[in-house]
Amino acid sequence: RAAAEWIDRNFAHQDFFLHVDCFTPHEPFDAPEELVRLFDPKGKGVEGLGAAAPYAPWRGRLTEEQFTNFRARYAARVVLLDRWLGVLLDALDRRRLWDRTMVVLTADHGTFNGDHGRMGKLQTHEFDAVGHIPLVVACPGVAGGQRRQQLVQLVDLYPTVLEAVGRPCPPGRAGVSLLPALADPGARTRDHAILGQFGASVSITDGRWTLHQSPVDGNGPLYWYGHCLAKFLRYDLGPYVDGRREVRNCRSWPTETWLSDNHSDPAELVNLAAERPEKVKELQKALKAKIIELGAPR
């Protein structure tokens, strides 16, 4: 509602930029009762549930009833977001802004809702359920209802927005503008996309094959870049020196290196690393080159 009111106040400006940061869908799973009942007739009547599902394998921690209800609560939060997003889009309709306004909808990560037998996030590799996020773009001059197959990362939004408003992108940035790909389905973005979690596994994909590479013992020291301390993951950080802090107690969860064929196995349930060692080596080589390109420490 606040974002829609902002548009009503500012739509007449020649240029504006609005960033709406919404926590939903996310814990706490507190959607209205009638929305939960769309997915579980028991609504919020299931006993023993907290505000969030455990970040862990659910069997042995939740009953089937609790597991089903947590999934229903998450789905209800998605519906809640969808309804309120409609309020914002109605404001764009009301002010007739679509012909001169780019709108981007995306997310930071997904969540395990039973995928790989897990709930929440973290715990293991950045499998598709967590790492493959939505990106929907409405752009003046580009017909709607189209899909693109190019690889895209969140870092691409920065140069995309700058180019859209006619501003230069500072040098040394990792992202690429997506305006050419919006205009041309064949335009190139990148050959590989990378993702992962600090101190844990790092992943690389070419759009079909995805390698989840586990860290090796003794891979340190690790560094926390930026002045601020870690707010959610309680690392023991050293003093701020030369733009970074040394991380002293980063504990990775043990997990095997994993190779997925996303065409035949989009849920990434089958590990093909042992069966396709040549593909593992190919993606490891590409991952190493990308990390060196980004200036990571040795």
Side-chain angles (χ1 to χ4, degrees):
R1 185 186 292 116
E5 292 172 352
W6 189 95
I7 287 176
D8 284 333
R9 292 194 305 271
N10 293 282
F11 76 95
H13 288 286
Q14 177 64 33
D15 299 303
F16 65 76
F17 177 85
L18 173 62
H19 182 111
V20 183
D21 187 1
C22 180
F23 213 50
T24 298
H26 199 283
E27 309 97 327
F29 295 158
D30 59 352
E33 175 80 13
E34 65 271 17
L35 297 186
V36 179
R37 288 184 180 275
L38 292 175
F39 303 96
D40 185 346
K42 296 179 180 178
K44 296 183 180 179
V46 176
E47 297 293 329
L49 297 187
Y55 286 8
W58 70 269
R59 294 188 186 278
R61 291 175 173 83
L62 301 172
T63 65
E64 290 276 356
E65 180 185 51
Q66 291 171 330
F67 172 63
T68 298
N69 197 252
F70 262 136
R71 287 159 58 95
R73 293 183 185 209
Y74 185 87
R77 291 281 283 183
V78 174
V79 173
L80 183 67
L81 170 63
D82 185 66
R83 290 186 176 183
W84 281 101
L85 179 62
V87 172
L88 179 61
L89 301 185
D90 286 346
L92 296 173
D93 290 343
R94 187 167 58 250
R95 298 304 182 180
R96 300 182 180 181
L97 290 173
W98 291 103
D99 290 341
R100 62 184 182 94
T101 307
M102 174 184 285
V103 180
V104 179
L105 172 68
T106 190
D108 54 349
H109 59 78
T111 188
F112 295 119
N113 263 324
D115 315 79
H116 293 266
R118 300 177 180 275
M119 300 293 285
K121 55 187 178 182
L122 307 176
Q123 312 166 56
T124 184
H125 293 305
E126 206 86 326
F127 286 117
D128 199 80
V130 175
H132 189 177
I133 57 175
L135 176 64
V136 183
V137 181
C139 184
V142 178
Q146 303 183 60
R147 296 182 67 90
R148 294 289 184 267
Q149 299 302 318
Q150 292 95 327
L151 290 171
V152 174
Q153 297 189 210
L154 284 174
V155 291
D156 297 332
L157 297 184
Y158 180 61
T160 300
V161 169
L162 287 177
E163 183 175 359
V165 297
R167 303 296 295 175
C169 184
R173 298 302 190 266
V176 297
S177 173
L178 300 179
L179 291 189
L182 291 172
D184 178 8
R188 182 181 178 276
T189 54
R190 54 170 46 79
D191 295 325
H192 297 92
I194 60 170
L195 57 157
Q197 299 163 42
F198 183 81
S201 67
V202 60
S203 307
I204 185 167
T205 183
D206 62 9
R208 173 179 178 177
W209 295 94
T210 300
L211 174 71
H212 303 287
Q213 178 65 55
S214 292
V216 298
D217 292 336
N219 181 33
L222 300 178
Y223 294 101
W224 183 268
Y225 288 83
H227 185 268
C228 292
L229 299 175
K231 296 185 179 352
F232 300 108
L233 304 178
R234 303 300 182 186
Y235 301 124
D236 178 16
L237 301 180
Y240 185 67
V241 179
D242 294 332
R244 65 190 187 187
R245 298 175 184 271
E246 186 172 321
V247 183
R248 296 170 174 165
N249 70 332
C250 189
R251 301 181 184 89
S252 297
W253 45 81
T255 189
E256 60 184 332
T257 293
W258 188 290
L259 177 70
S260 297
D261 181 350
N262 296 90
H263 284 191
S264 63
D265 179 27
E268 295 193 85
L269 299 178
V270 180
N271 185 359
L272 298 175
E275 184 179 322
R276 298 292 303 269
E278 79 289 348
K279 182 60 67 173
V280 171
K281 290 182 179 179
E282 174 190 323
L283 289 174
Q284 285 175 334
K285 182 178 179 180
L287 177 60
K288 179 178 179 179
K290 176 57 66 174
I291 290 175
I292 291 173
E293 175 190 327
L294 294 173
R298 292 186 59 83

